[in-house]
Structures are given as structure tokens and as C-alpha cells.
Amino acid sequence: RGVSESGDYRPLVQATQKANTQQAIMEEDDVPMEVEAAKEADEELSEEFQLLAAQAVTAPEQAMAGYLAIINGPLEKNPAGLKRHTFAIQQLGALYAKHSKAQELGNLIYTVRPFLEFVSKAKGGQLFKSLMDLFLDIPNVQQLQVEVCNNCLEWAKTEKRTFLRQSLEVRLLALYLEAKQYQNCLAQAATLLKELKRLDDKALLVDVHLLESKSFFALGNYPRSRASLVSARTTANAIYCPPRMQASLDLQSGVLHAQEGDFKTAYSYFYEAFEGFDSVDVKVQAILGLKYMLLGKIVNDEARDVQSICSGKLALRYAGRDLEAMKKVSEASIHRSLAEFEECLVNYKQELKQDPIIATHLTRLYDELLEKNLARVVEPFSKVEIDHVAKVIQRPREIVEAKLSQMILDKKLDGILDQGAGCLELFTVSESDRTYEAALGTIQQMGGVVDALFARAQKIF
């Protein structure tokens, strides 16, 4: 209809444009009213939350009560009401996390579940996961975190929320790793990996492979740890990797290289990890990356660079006891002082011994420092009392005797321990006379020349 016999569509187009114009004129009076109503609702909403945000700074308890009143109040099932409810949940969760109210945040997670039925699964899952992330970032409440996470897992299975369940399982793996339940972590990771590979969920695959790598590393299975990390990096290359996840991958790469003794490469990975965590403002992990950077410099006999790194623009933001501890260790390393080193371990016990990676490398550094001091002390002697050595380096006799015995077995010292006399007897290493070796070499060469001349003579005659 509306097409001429010659196939001209212009009459049809003109008729359609005319109808659209008339419809627009009819609706013109209604549109401004709807827009104004929406604007007024947004203004009221913003004023309400601006007041609560101001209270969150001056009187956080009142702000929490205000947000909680909105959440527990009647729910308006229109878009504005759902938006108001969602925003109140997000703000209350952030406030609880800021003030480390783990129990209250756990109860909020339970309270939010019925509300998720009124929003789309994507938005509800995103809201729920953001609350769980805030809850799991609260320190020193591992038991409560595992309990809440297991409870939420059962709820996700009942509600048949597959993707949310998988995300919760990844968070439970992280809790097992933090609680040092490595076998549980690996067992559940193996099951989850099969499911994720079937669904081809690469983002979660990266998380699980990384957690698996950390678990294997903690158990001392370094080849499997490296293999899991390679799988995580390969998967991450196929997708967009968020800065925080990329920084976590770099941190684990640096840890593995440090374990192999390649501290130069490890330092570059630690630097990338530190910058990544700093960019997303994850302070705890950024400090950890910075400490590993300084550790790499100290172990690599570049302790003098520690002061300049700590004085840098980025590092100044994280000044505190952690950096002070690493500075003291670097000074002890420069001075080759065992007394200063042990004093650092006593004064900064939490900062230096709580992290297993730092503790392991500092133990190695202490052993190397002790060996160098012992070798320097015993070098002028052919026979020396163990008590005298212990007195010079100011260490207990038992530790000195055990370390000397280990150095002899490792062939770092050529001598024996006379326990009856309480002495270390060092053998004089006599240099062999190379004249005889040179003479034998000359004779062999001459023998070869004579044999060659004899062979030529036989050919001539």
C-alpha cells in the first residue's frame, strides 16, 4: 500500500513521517511531566543519601542506623525504589567494612538475599559479590568468613545460581589458602577447574589457577606451582585482566623466581606488582609487593639501594613499621652485623616473621652472614678454640659449633672439629707444583711429534 505503479516509495515515506509527527505532538504535553517527576525523585534521593554520607564521617553509628532503616523499611518495587534500596545496601556494606564490623556485615549479607529476587540476576550477583569482597577483606575473622561463605554456597545451590556459586567457591578457596588448609584448597580447586573448563569461564579460571599455584608453593611443590602459574598467565592473555589480578600474577611470578635464586628478575616482577596494587589502591598488597622489592635488593647484595627506594614518591605513601623493618635489615646487611640482624628480628617480629616468604629468605641471609663472619674469624688460624670464635662473633657456642660442622661437610672449610679439645683444626692447603705437570705435557707433545715424523719416514722409504 502507498506504492505507486512505477514502484515509487515516496508517498509511503511521507505518510509515515506525517503520522510520527502527529504522534509526537499528541505526546508532547506528557513527556515534560514524566521527566520532571524523575528529576524530583532523583533530587530527593540524592539529598537523603548526601545527609547520610555526611553523618558517616562525623557520626558513623547514626549513618549505619539510617541505611539500615532504609533496607529494613518497605520496599518500593519500582525502578526508583529498587535503586534506593541497592544504594543503601552498598553504602552500609562499605561502612561496615571500613569500621571492621564483620558480624554486622555478615548479617547484612544474609538480609540481602530476599531482595535479590526483585532485581536481575546479573545486578543481584554483582551486588552480592561486592558485599562478599568487602566482608572477606576484613582481617582476623577467618572462622566467621568460612562460616558465612559456606552458608552462602548452600543458598546459591538451592537457588540454582550457578555463576554466583562458582564465584563463592573461588572465595572459599582463598579462605582455605589463608587458613593454611592447603589440601582442602587443592581438592576443591581440582573439582572447580573441571567445571570451569567445561563452561570456558576464563576469568574464574585465572583465579583458581593462581590459588592453586600458591597452595603448591606453600607445600613446597615448586614445579607444580610454576605449571599452575603458567596456566593462569596463558588464560589471562586471552581476556581482559583487571589490574589487581595482573598484579597478583606478577607477585606470584616474582616469588617463584626468588625461590630459584633469580632475584634480579624477581625484583622486576615485584616492582610491576607494587605499581599494579598501588594503581587500584590495595594498600595491604602494595606494602607486601614493596617489602618483596626491598628483600630482593638486600638478598642480591644491593642493600644500599633500599634507602633510595624508600625515599621515592610512591614508597613514601606506605611509610610505616613494615618499611622501617626492611631498612634495619638492609643496614645490618651492609654492616655484616649478626647482632644488628638479630635485633631486627626481635624488634620487628610481626613484620619480618609473619610472612613465610620473607622469613625464609631472611633465614637464608642470616646463614650466609654467619658463614662469612665465621670464615673471616678462623682464616688466620691453623688451630683455634671454638669458645674463642663464639666470643668474637658474640654467638652461643652450640650455634657456632653446629655451623662450623655444616661448613666442613659442605666443603666450605678444610679442617676437622676436635670436640675433645674443643678446637677447630684447619688444614693447610698446599699448592701443587705445576712444574711436573708442565714437563709431562711437554713429553706427551714431543712423543706425538716423533710419532708423526716416524710415520712420514715410513712413507718415504
Side-chain angles (χ1 to χ4, degrees), residues 308-351:
S308 60
I309 293 172
C310 292
S311 304
K313 184 178 178 181
L314 284 177
L316 284 174
R317 294 177 54 193
Y318 302 99
R321 280 186 60 84
D322 291 284
L323 295 195
E324 285 296 325
M326 299 309 294
K327 283 182 188 177
K328 294 293 183 183
V329 172
S330 69
E331 289 173 7
S333 178
I334 292 169
H335 300 153
R336 305 288 182 186
S337 172
L338 290 169
E340 289 183 23
F341 200 98
E342 288 195 346
E343 187 180 348
C344 292
L345 295 178
V346 172
N347 294 338
Y348 300 95
K349 185 176 181 180
Q350 184 177 358
E351 289 79 9

Side-chain angles (χ1 to χ4, degrees), residues 51-86:
L51 179 62
L52 288 172
Q55 285 182 342
V57 179
T58 56
E61 293 295 336
Q62 292 182 14
M64 291 176 192
Y67 287 126
L68 202 57
I70 295 172
I71 295 168
N72 293 331
L75 174 63
E76 299 177 8
K77 298 178 183 178
N78 54 36
L82 294 175
K83 180 180 178 182
R84 177 172 177 265
H85 214 75
T86 302

Side-chain angles (χ1 to χ4, degrees), residues 185-404:
C185 181
L186 290 173
Q188 292 206 14
T191 306
L192 187 57
L193 278 172
K194 292 178 183 178
E195 186 178 354
L196 293 174
K197 285 176 181 176
R198 189 169 62 251
L199 296 173
D200 198 28
D201 191 339
K202 289 185 169 58
L204 285 182
L205 272 173
V206 175
D207 285 328
V208 177
H209 277 306
L210 181 59
L211 291 169
E212 188 182 44
S213 174
K214 290 180 179 179
S215 297
F216 278 128
F217 183 87
L219 291 172
N221 193 342
Y222 305 124
R224 292 289 299 275
S225 177
R226 179 164 289 282
S228 297
L229 181 63
V230 169
S231 299
R233 282 195 167 279
T234 304
T235 309
N237 288 336
I239 59 170
Y240 167 72
C241 193
R244 182 169 181 171
M245 177 53 61
Q246 186 62 51
S248 298
L249 291 171
D250 289 334
L251 191 69
Q252 183 65 9
S253 298
V255 167
L256 281 167
H257 278 286
Q259 182 62 36
E260 294 171 358
D262 186 4
F263 291 100
K264 193 170 184 180
T265 306
Y267 176 83
S268 63
Y269 276 116
F270 291 146
Y271 184 78
E272 292 292 333
F274 167 65
E275 283 195 327
F277 288 127
D278 179 72
S279 67
V280 292
D281 201 24
V282 184
K283 188 173 181 181
V284 175
Q285 292 295 99
I287 290 174
L288 188 62
L290 183 55
K291 286 172 71 176
Y292 287 172
M293 280 171 58
L294 302 178
L295 178 67
K297 285 291 185 183
I298 294 168
V299 178
N300 209 29
D301 289 333
E302 297 175 357
R304 297 184 186 279
D305 296 341
V306 169
Q307 186 61 42
S308 60
I309 293 172
C310 292
S311 304
K313 184 178 178 181
L314 284 177
L316 284 174
R317 294 177 54 193
Y318 302 99
R321 280 186 60 84
D322 291 284
L323 295 195
E324 285 296 325
M326 299 309 294
K327 283 182 188 177
K328 294 293 183 183
V329 172
S330 69
E331 289 173 7
S333 178
I334 292 169
H335 300 153
R336 305 288 182 186
S337 172
L338 290 169
E340 289 183 23
F341 200 98
E342 288 195 346
E343 187 180 348
C344 292
L345 295 178
V346 172
N347 294 338
Y348 300 95
K349 185 176 181 180
Q350 184 177 358
E351 289 79 9
L352 297 178
K353 289 190 175 180
Q354 191 173 15
D355 187 278
I357 296 166
I358 292 177
T360 300
H361 288 293
L362 288 183
T363 302
R364 290 181 184 174
L365 182 63
Y366 178 81
D367 287 340
E368 290 176 7
L369 203 58
L370 181 57
E371 286 179 4
K372 288 177 181 177
N373 276 269
L374 287 173
R376 190 178 69 240
V377 170
V378 303
E379 187 179 7
F381 301 96
S382 59
K383 189 173 184 179
V384 60
E385 291 183 355
I386 298 173
D387 289 332
H388 174 72
V389 177
K391 183 179 178 182
V392 171
I393 67 169
Q394 299 177 354
R395 298 295 94 194
R397 186 184 189 280
E398 295 78 13
I399 294 176
V400 171
E401 187 174 353
K403 193 62 185 176
L404 289 171

Side-chain angles (χ1 to χ4, degrees), residues 15-64:
T16 304
Q17 290 176 344
K18 185 177 180 181
N20 289 341
T21 304
Q22 291 174 350
Q23 182 69 20
I25 293 170
M26 290 173 63
E27 294 178 355
E28 187 175 359
D29 295 333
D30 298 332
V31 172
M33 292 177 64
E34 293 174 0
V35 172
E36 285 297 325
K39 284 183 179 179
E40 288 177 6
D42 284 343
E43 285 175 3
E44 290 176 5
L45 187 65
S46 62
E47 287 178 5
E48 179 183 21
F49 284 115
Q50 281 175 7
L51 179 62
L52 288 172
Q55 285 182 342
V57 179
T58 56
E61 293 295 336
Q62 292 182 14
M64 291 176 192

